Amino acid sequence: QAPHQNSKASNEKPLAGTPPAMSEEGNMPRHASESTLSFPAFRSEEWIKAEFDRLEAPSMVLDGVDLSPKYMTDFPTVGLFPGKVAQVRQQIRTALFRQALFKVQNTEVTYLDECRDMRVLQRVTSQAGSSLLGRAVDLRNPTDVKLLHEELWSVDRCGQRAEYNVRYYKEGGDGFSTLVLPRGLRDLWQSFRYYYWDNE
């Protein structure tokens, strides 16, 4: 399974005194979340059964991003159903967050021998620009795949900070997807191993 995975619309703190991280281009981020979320490195069947339906996106995940599928915006009287519109957007937001979190776990599980503690999503930072690696990877995307938003996720791994560029895309009119790129070189290598070597 490659790290760039499609999700259709119908499916699916900071630490006190810690300064916000900068983007790779040196741009200051716009905002950072103030909540923590704990998750295991290994996505066990028991954890999925117990926690999957309770996984909710922190407030800063996809904050202010328009997640309206084309089928909904093309509906002439969509404005008459604000509750339904909000529900659809929240379903898409939740699905994309869960998809991105699973991809973070795909890298974190490769460190299970070194750190068996729960991971903590400490900070979600909305990036003002696009990461250099992300732009390079996007060169292979079809023309109807457009970047919607990029965030920097900071994860506590047994006292060490692991950072991930989380990118959200719109595919065609109604499709949405995520791409998770570790920022650390070792983490990037571990992610490559997970997708293209260990799972062969």
Side-chain angles (χ1 to χ4, degrees), residues 24 127 131-134 150-153 163-167 179-183:
E24 292 180 10
Q127 299 292 81
S131 61
L132 182 61
L133 179 58
E150 182 174 81
E151 296 167 348
L152 176 64
W153 288 17
E163 294 185 329
Y164 295 86
N165 286 319
V166 179
R167 296 166 67 83
L179 175 66
V180 173
L181 297 171
R183 284 173 62 113

Side-chain angles (χ1 to χ4, degrees), residues 47-56 94 98 102:
W47 179 80
I48 292 174
K49 288 180 178 179
E51 301 294 337
F52 181 82
D53 289 336
R54 297 195 295 177
L55 280 176
E56 297 292 338
T94 299
R98 291 172 178 174
F102 281 16

Side-chain angles (χ1 to χ4, degrees), residues 40-140:
F42 176 61
R43 192 168 55 248
S44 67
E45 183 177 348
E46 291 77 16
W47 179 80
I48 292 174
K49 288 180 178 179
E51 301 294 337
F52 181 82
D53 289 336
R54 297 195 295 177
L55 280 176
E56 297 292 338
S59 60
M60 284 307 302
V61 169
L62 291 164
D63 182 40
V65 179
D66 185 5
L67 298 175
S68 301
K70 188 175 184 297
Y71 78 83
M72 189 171 69
T73 57
D74 285 349
F75 192 61
T77 57
V78 66
L80 300 177
F81 307 95
K84 182 62 176 178
V85 169
Q87 181 183 30
V88 169
R89 288 173 175 166
Q90 183 60 29
Q91 287 174 345
I92 296 171
R93 179 171 172 265
T94 299
L96 291 174
F97 167 70
R98 291 172 178 174
Q99 187 182 110
L101 184 67
F102 281 16
K103 292 177 180 180
V104 169
Q105 286 178 303
N106 292 346
T107 298
E108 290 301 316
V109 74
T110 65
Y111 290 94
L112 200 58
D113 289 342
E114 301 177 23
C115 174
R116 305 191 71 86
D117 292 353
M118 294 286 283
R119 304 316 197 246
V120 181
L121 177 59
Q122 296 177 309
R123 181 188 294 272
V124 175
T125 306
S126 177
Q127 299 292 81
S130 174
S131 61
L132 182 61
L133 179 58
R135 292 200 302 270
V137 172
D138 285 356
L139 293 175
R140 64 182 174 84

